[in-house]
């Protein structure tokens, strides 16, 4: 039979039952098993029953002017004490335990005086256990079946002794309902409350586990975002620094003035790189505002500026041209304002595409096209092949690293589509397309033009 004492399993996490003080005490005493604890209960009930028998024989019978013979007293005492023994099986075999208790009660009724109703504590415990372990209907059926047994025994005993039937049967009917059925109802109520408490504990454990999972997911997402940002900054700025440093190294002896200019450019790019890194790593520092100061007010962080977007592509192209790259920027359509996260995604994809072109196809011309059409905005970066790089295109495709992975993640984050691949000429194409679900009126002049058109 199932019990309510075992641990509850929530998926792969076992939620141990809440131990009471009595459970803790019994565990310290070494009484840990179900049979051992029920056996200890049977011993205690037997001792308590024996004490009650002493009171019965010494005081109650004399007060009620009832007479019990020696043989009858011995049978009554033996049956009453033996009635506690089946409690050892109360949780492992509850129905058998109740049946043995009822059998002992039959002997007790037969040995008791006609006007005396002797009910033992084992009846209450057996009925209560039935209520806690069995479904409500079955528990009431089992305990209800035990009531007529006592009533029938009392009726037969009264007929044999020649006494009246009404009083003994009524007494044992009330006593049977009180000891068996009412105890089962109480046990069912207690079991319901235990299940409710267990459900609350399960829900609490699930909430804790969900919070932990959400926290881990947020940490992983933030780490991925930081990794993408750091990669973009490092790949773009450091690759340019490496190219310019190589040029300066060649010009130190032949053209010192050009080498000095290149060194100044490297210094400027280094400062820009540090500023970009501070902007990214700034999210790891404690942000102002908890004390009432915004980021733009006194005490604000000067590096909390928003990340660049499509409007910063001109500066990105100028930086690439300063490194010796041949870059052409083409804008088509009427520019519209994008969400900040989408605007930053376009900029980072353009930045990574220029870095990849510089690394994998040095010296190749790059054409960057930004198109605004009615329902979408797209960015296309196409570079030609470097000398001797046509045969290396498959190796480049197989060597997609953090750059293409980061661009794909950015596109997925803003709901855009990213397509990359080799061109027929041996170059490389990166295309990012973002659908626009509405046509915003971005300026006051546009709104005025629309109103004027409607009036005409």
């Amino acid at each position: 039979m199932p019990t309510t004492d075992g641990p509850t399993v929530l998926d792969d996490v076992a939620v141990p039952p809440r131990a009471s003080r009595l459970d803790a005490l019994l565990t310290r005493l070494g009484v840990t098993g179900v049979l051992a604890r029920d056996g200890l209960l049977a011993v205690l009930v037997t001792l308590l029953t024996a004490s009650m028998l002493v009171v019965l024989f010494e005081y109650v019978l004399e007060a009620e002017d009832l007479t019990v013979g020696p043989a009858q007293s011995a049978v009554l005492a033996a049956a009453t004490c033996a009635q506690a023994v089946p409690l050892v099986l109360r949780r492992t075999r509850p129905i058998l335990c109740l049946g043995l208790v009822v059998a002992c009660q039959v002997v007790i009724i037969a040995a008791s005086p006609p006007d005396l109703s002797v009910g033992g504590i084992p009846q209450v415990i057996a009925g209560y256990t039935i209520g806690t372990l069995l479904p409500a209907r079955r528990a009431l059926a089992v305990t209800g079946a035990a009531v007529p047994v006592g009533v029938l025994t009392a009726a037969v005993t009264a007929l044999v002794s020649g006494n009246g039937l009404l009083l003994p049967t009524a007494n044992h009917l009330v006593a049977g309902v009180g000891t068996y059925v009412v105890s089962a109802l109480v046990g069912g109520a207690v079991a319901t409350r235990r299940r409710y408490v267990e459900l609350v504990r399960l829900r609490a454990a699930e909430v804790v586990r969900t919070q932990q999972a959400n926290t881990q997911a947020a940490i992983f997402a933030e780490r991925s975002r930081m990794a993408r940002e750091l990669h973009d900054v490092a790949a773009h700025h450091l690759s340019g620094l490496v190219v310019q440093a190589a040029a300066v190294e060649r010009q130190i002896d032949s053209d010192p003035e050009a080498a000095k200019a290149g060194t100044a450019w490297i210094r400027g790019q280094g400062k820009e790189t540090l500023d970009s890194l501070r902007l990214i790593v700034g999210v790891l520092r404690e942000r102002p505002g908890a004390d009432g100061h915004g980021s733009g007010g006194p005490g604000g962080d000067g590096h909390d500026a928003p990340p660049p977007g499509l409007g910063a592509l001109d500066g990105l192209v100028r930086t690439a041209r300063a490194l010796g790259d041949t870059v052409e920027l083409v804008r088509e359509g009427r520019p519209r304002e994008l969400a900040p996260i989408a605007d930053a995604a376009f900029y980072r994809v353009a930045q990574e595409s220029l870095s990849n072109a510089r690394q994998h196809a040095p010296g190749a011309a790059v054409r960057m096209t930004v198109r605004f059409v009615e329902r979408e905005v797209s960015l296309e970066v196409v570079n030609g092949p470097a000398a001797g790089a046509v045969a290396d295109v498959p190796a480049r495709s197989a060597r997609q690293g953090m750059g293409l992975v980061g661009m794909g993640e950015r596109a997925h984050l803003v709901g855009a589509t990213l397509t990359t691949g080799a061109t027929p000429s041996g170059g490389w194409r990166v295309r990012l397309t973002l659908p626009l679900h509405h046509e915003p009126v971005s300026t006051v002049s546009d709104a005025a033009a629309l109103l004027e058109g409607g009036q005409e």
Side-chain angles (χ1 to χ4, degrees), residues 152-241:
L152 183 60
T153 304
V156 172
T157 304
L159 289 176
V160 171
S161 61
N163 297 320
L165 292 176
L166 181 59
L167 184 59
T169 54
N171 288 340
H172 287 87
L173 177 62
V174 174
V177 171
T179 54
Y180 296 123
V181 179
V182 175
S183 298
L185 291 175
V186 173
V190 172
T192 301
R193 184 180 181 279
R194 287 178 180 174
R195 286 191 291 268
Y196 171 76
V197 172
E198 188 69 15
L199 180 60
V200 171
R201 293 177 61 242
L202 286 177
R203 289 179 176 176
E206 185 175 1
V207 168
V208 171
R209 191 180 64 172
T210 302
Q211 290 177 345
Q212 293 176 348
N214 291 339
T215 301
Q216 293 297 327
I219 292 175
F220 179 78
E222 184 65 15
R223 290 176 62 185
S224 299
R225 188 184 71 83
M226 295 292 296
R228 288 194 300 267
E229 294 290 340
L230 290 173
H231 174 271
D232 292 343
V233 171
H236 175 70
H237 292 288
L238 296 183
S239 61
L241 291 175

Side-chain angles (χ1 to χ4, degrees), residues 164-363:
L165 292 176
L166 181 59
L167 184 59
T169 54
N171 288 340
H172 287 87
L173 177 62
V174 174
V177 171
T179 54
Y180 296 123
V181 179
V182 175
S183 298
L185 291 175
V186 173
V190 172
T192 301
R193 184 180 181 279
R194 287 178 180 174
R195 286 191 291 268
Y196 171 76
V197 172
E198 188 69 15
L199 180 60
V200 171
R201 293 177 61 242
L202 286 177
R203 289 179 176 176
E206 185 175 1
V207 168
V208 171
R209 191 180 64 172
T210 302
Q211 290 177 345
Q212 293 176 348
N214 291 339
T215 301
Q216 293 297 327
I219 292 175
F220 179 78
E222 184 65 15
R223 290 176 62 185
S224 299
R225 188 184 71 83
M226 295 292 296
R228 288 194 300 267
E229 294 290 340
L230 290 173
H231 174 271
D232 292 343
V233 171
H236 175 70
H237 292 288
L238 296 183
S239 61
L241 291 175
V242 170
V243 171
Q244 190 66 19
V248 169
E249 184 180 9
R250 292 192 298 269
Q251 295 171 344
I252 288 178
D253 297 326
S254 60
D255 193 350
E257 293 299 325
K260 291 180 180 180
T263 303
W265 186 92
I266 291 176
R267 184 174 61 254
Q269 282 295 300
K271 183 178 182 300
E272 183 179 348
T273 303
L274 288 176
D275 292 339
S276 299
L277 291 176
R278 289 192 187 102
L279 174 64
I280 297 171
V281 181
V283 299
L284 300 178
R285 299 196 300 267
E286 182 178 359
R287 297 281 182 159
D291 56 351
H293 298 290
S295 60
D301 193 345
H303 301 289
D304 286 340
L310 288 175
L313 289 183
D314 292 324
L316 184 66
V317 170
R318 285 195 299 269
T319 301
R321 289 171 179 170
L323 291 172
D325 298 336
T326 302
V327 183
E328 179 185 5
L329 175 60
V330 179
R331 300 180 186 270
E332 299 178 359
R334 179 172 59 86
R336 277 165 288 177
E337 184 177 355
L338 302 179
I341 188 172
D343 205 22
F346 274 92
Y347 180 86
R348 292 304 187 192
V349 169
Q351 186 182 53
E352 179 64 25
S353 299
L354 290 179
S355 300
N356 288 344
R358 185 181 307 118
Q359 179 180 357
H360 298 286

